[in-house]
């Protein structure tokens, strides 16, 4: 059977390969073994709050399971618009909002609507690996630009200006970012958007962790940029992270008005619509009781960050930029690799953070995510910890690391 070149260009999602290995080691240890602690997957340990679960049950009971418009339930688009007004002080026309089958579908639709074969899209290195695969699937090419801790692991306007070529279509950013948990400073984001607009390009930004911001200096949507820049941004968001609905597969796009109809046509053909039950359930996310619960959980995520990252630092796992959002720690493991005799250079399977991740599973029964997925520049230097787990699990993880050291 002949496999398409498109499919062959898509790289493995290595975090899932590590997850399989962690499960295998856990099963091999048996019931009497020390349980694996999973700090590898970026998934909240909270589930959808009671009102959301009740709304899903009610929708099933009432038979509300028929197709919705491809752009989503009108009431849900209105509710999302209301959340932008309440949380960010933004007036977003509901007609600019397209509800999607998760943020993944949102990114796929945006890339298919905007990218032609051979177009280049500038992205920070490190970044979430699937984002560049969406560009590849649309026959474009992700151009990865190394971004170090001195710039919060985020692109700068100067880098955009320098890297732009006749083939460049635009930029794909993330704020807050996975894997670093860092956001783009507002002035820096505005400068990037101006550079892109001056070249008639597109600014596509992943804001799925925007609700999980902990620092008032950040946590501002790119949709609020001044001078009409915000109206030209394509923003991707999701019910998975802040709203704790990972497996419900529900997200949304906020689009410039001219892009709504093309994206709607694509959605009609590729997805028909997002899950109807999930959409009815998501309406309850915006009830005052649910929003209060989400804010309580946001405070809990912050408390976990505030405990875990200093604990990592004390063990010599340097986190050079304190995450201002999301639930990740992007740690420099150079010192630990040297201590355990793991070479920093060589084949990925036997060096750097990839080899260290396997050592942590074997020595500490601790599953983490190496930089191989996220970074093309210095992938072996970095390891991602998810702090989405309950504090007792994070404390146990640190205790195991300390004992192993």
């Amino acid at each position: 059977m002949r496999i398409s070149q498109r499919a062959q260009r898509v790289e493995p999602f290595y975090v899932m390969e590590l997850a399989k290995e962690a499960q295998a080691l856990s099963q091999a240890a048996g019931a009497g073994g020390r349980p694996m602690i999973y700090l590898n997957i970026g998934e909240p340990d909270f589930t959808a709050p009671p009102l959301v679960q009740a709304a899903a049950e009610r929708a099933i009971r009432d038979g509300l399971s028929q197709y919705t418009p491809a752009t989503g339930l009108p009431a849900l688009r209105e509710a999302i618009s209301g959340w932008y007004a309440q949380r960010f002080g933004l007036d977003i026309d509901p007609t600019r909002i397209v509800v999607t089958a998760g943020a993944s579908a949102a990114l796929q639709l945006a890339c298919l609507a905007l990218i032609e074969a051979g177009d280049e899209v500038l992205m920070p290195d490190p970044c979430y690996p699937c984002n560049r695969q969406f560009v590849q699937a649309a026959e474009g090419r992700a151009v990865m630009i190394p971004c170090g801790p001195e710039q919060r692991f985020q692109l700068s306007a100067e880098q955009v200006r320098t890297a732009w070529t006749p083939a460049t279509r635009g930029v794909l950013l993330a704020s807050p970012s996975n894997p670093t948990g860092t956001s783009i400073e507002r002035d820096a984001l505005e400068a990037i958007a101006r550079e892109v607009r001056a070249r008639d390009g597109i600014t596509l930004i992943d804001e799925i962790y925007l609700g999980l911001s902990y620092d008032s200096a950040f946590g501002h949507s790119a949709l609020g940029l001044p001078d009409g820049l915000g109206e030209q941004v394509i923003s991707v968001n999701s019910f998975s992270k802040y709203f704790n609905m990972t497996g419900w597969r529900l997200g949304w796009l906020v689009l410039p008005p001219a892009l709504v109809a093309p994206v709607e046509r694509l959605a009609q053909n590729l997805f028909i619509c997002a899950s109807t039950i999930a959409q009815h359930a998501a309406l309850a996310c915006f009830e005052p009781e649910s929003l209060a619960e989400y804010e309580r959980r946001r405070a809990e995520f912050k408390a976990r960050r505030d405990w875990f990252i200093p604990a990592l630092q004390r063990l010599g796992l340097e986190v050079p930029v304190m995450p201002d959002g999301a639930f990740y720690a992007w740690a420099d493991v150079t010192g630990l690799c040297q201590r355990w005799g793991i070479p920093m250079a060589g084949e990925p399977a036997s060096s750097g953070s990839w080899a260290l991740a396997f050592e942590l599973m074997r020595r500490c029964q601790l599953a983490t995510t190496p930089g191989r997925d996220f970074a093309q520049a210095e992938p072996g230097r970095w390891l991602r910890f998810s702090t989405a787990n309950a504090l007792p699990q994070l404390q146990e993880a640190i205790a195991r690391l300390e004992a192993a050291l």
Side-chain angles (χ1 to χ4, degrees):
M1 180 181 295
R2 183 170 63 86
I3 308 299
S4 73
Q5 289 297 309
R6 179 187 305 107
Q8 294 182 57
R9 282 195 300 270
V10 174
E11 301 168 23
F13 195 4
Y14 292 109
V15 65
M16 295 307 179
E17 298 301 314
L18 265 292
K20 288 190 290 187
E21 179 66 17
Q23 290 285 357
L25 286 172
S26 183
Q27 290 171 4
R34 188 164 65 169
M36 188 75 69
I37 296 177
Y38 295 94
L39 303 187
N40 54 327
I41 304 295
E43 181 169 31
D45 60 335
F46 299 113
T47 60
L51 288 183
V52 176
Q53 297 183 39
E57 293 170 358
R58 189 164 56 250
I60 293 169
R61 186 174 60 248
D62 295 346
L64 300 177
S65 57
Q66 296 83 8
Y67 295 136
T68 73
T71 52
L73 286 171
L76 184 55
R77 298 167 80 190
E78 291 274 358
I80 294 169
S81 172
W83 182 68
Y84 277 110
Q86 177 261 325
R87 180 68 183 269
F88 305 106
L90 297 176
D91 181 13
I92 305 296
D93 189 332
T95 63
R96 293 176 56 197
I97 297 169
V98 175
V99 178
T100 61
S104 297
L107 279 159
Q108 182 181 6
L109 288 167
C111 288
L112 290 174
L114 293 163
I115 296 171
E116 300 282 9
D119 283 349
E120 295 179 351
V121 178
L122 308 181
M123 300 173 63
D125 181 345
C127 72
Y128 181 58
C130 296
N131 287 3
R132 63 179 183 266
Q133 303 304 337
F134 288 119
V135 173
Q136 296 240 60
E139 307 294 331
R141 188 172 81 87
V143 177
M144 310 305 296
I145 301 175
C147 298
E150 69 284 352
Q151 58 192 89
R152 304 182 55 76
F153 302 108
Q154 295 283 1
L155 278 178
S156 68
E158 182 181 357
Q159 286 175 310
V160 170
R161 187 163 52 248
T162 301
W164 200 281
T165 74
T168 305
R169 183 72 179 97
V171 298
L172 173 47
L173 312 170
S175 184
S177 165
N178 176 7
T180 66
T182 62
S183 298
I184 309 173
E185 294 174 336
R186 189 175 179 84
D187 289 348
L189 181 58
E190 180 181 340
I192 291 171
R194 290 191 185 280
E195 290 290 341
V196 173
R197 183 169 67 177
R199 291 158 177 78
D200 195 28
I202 58 170
T203 299
L204 177 57
I205 184 162
D206 170 349
E207 295 189 322
I208 71 172
Y209 293 98
L210 186 61
L212 292 174
S213 292
Y214 314 122
D215 187 331
S216 60
F218 303 100
H220 306 288
S221 174
L223 296 166
L225 289 175
D227 195 24
L229 291 166
E231 295 171 7
Q232 297 172 328
V233 163
I234 299 101
S235 173
V236 175
N237 217 312
S238 172
F239 285 92
S240 290
K241 309 302 181 180
Y242 177 71
F243 295 102
N244 307 152
M245 295 175 68
T246 51
W248 300 67
R249 307 316 303 135
L250 197 64
W252 74 87
L253 283 162
V254 180
L255 301 167
L259 197 54
V260 173
V263 167
E264 181 179 11
R265 290 197 300 272
L266 286 167
Q268 288 168 338
N269 283 278
L270 296 178
F271 300 102
I272 300 181
C273 67
S275 163
T276 302
I277 300 300
Q279 290 189 64
H280 281 287
L283 286 167
C285 290
F286 304 102
E287 294 291 336
E289 180 181 327
S290 296
L291 289 172
E293 176 61 14
Y294 287 132
E295 285 301 287
R296 185 194 70 78
R297 295 176 180 184
R298 180 167 71 103
E300 177 63 23
F301 283 127
K302 180 179 183 296
R304 295 171 183 180
R305 178 203 70 168
D306 291 347
W307 185 88
F308 187 76
I309 290 180
L312 274 185
Q313 306 266 37
R314 285 195 301 272
L315 297 179
L317 287 158
E318 182 68 22
V319 180
V321 184
M322 177 62 112
D324 59 85
F327 35 63
Y328 301 112
W330 186 239
D332 186 337
V333 297
T334 305
L336 182 53
C337 285
Q338 290 172 348
R339 189 167 180 175
W340 283 2
I342 297 172
M344 290 302 294
E347 289 297 317
S350 58
S351 66
S353 60
W354 180 266
L356 176 63
F358 283 88
E359 280 298 306
L360 290 171
M361 284 190 280
R362 287 190 287 263
R363 296 193 193 196
C364 306
Q365 290 71 55
L366 178 60
T368 58
T369 304
R372 189 175 179 182
D373 260 329
F374 305 99
Q376 293 181 355
E378 298 188 296
R381 179 182 172 188
W382 303 99
L383 192 73
R384 190 194 75 176
F385 294 85
S386 169
T387 57
N389 296 46
L391 188 57
Q393 278 206 316
L394 297 175
Q395 291 169 335
E396 173 63 17
I398 290 294
R400 292 183 188 184
L401 275 170
E402 191 168 19
L405 291 170

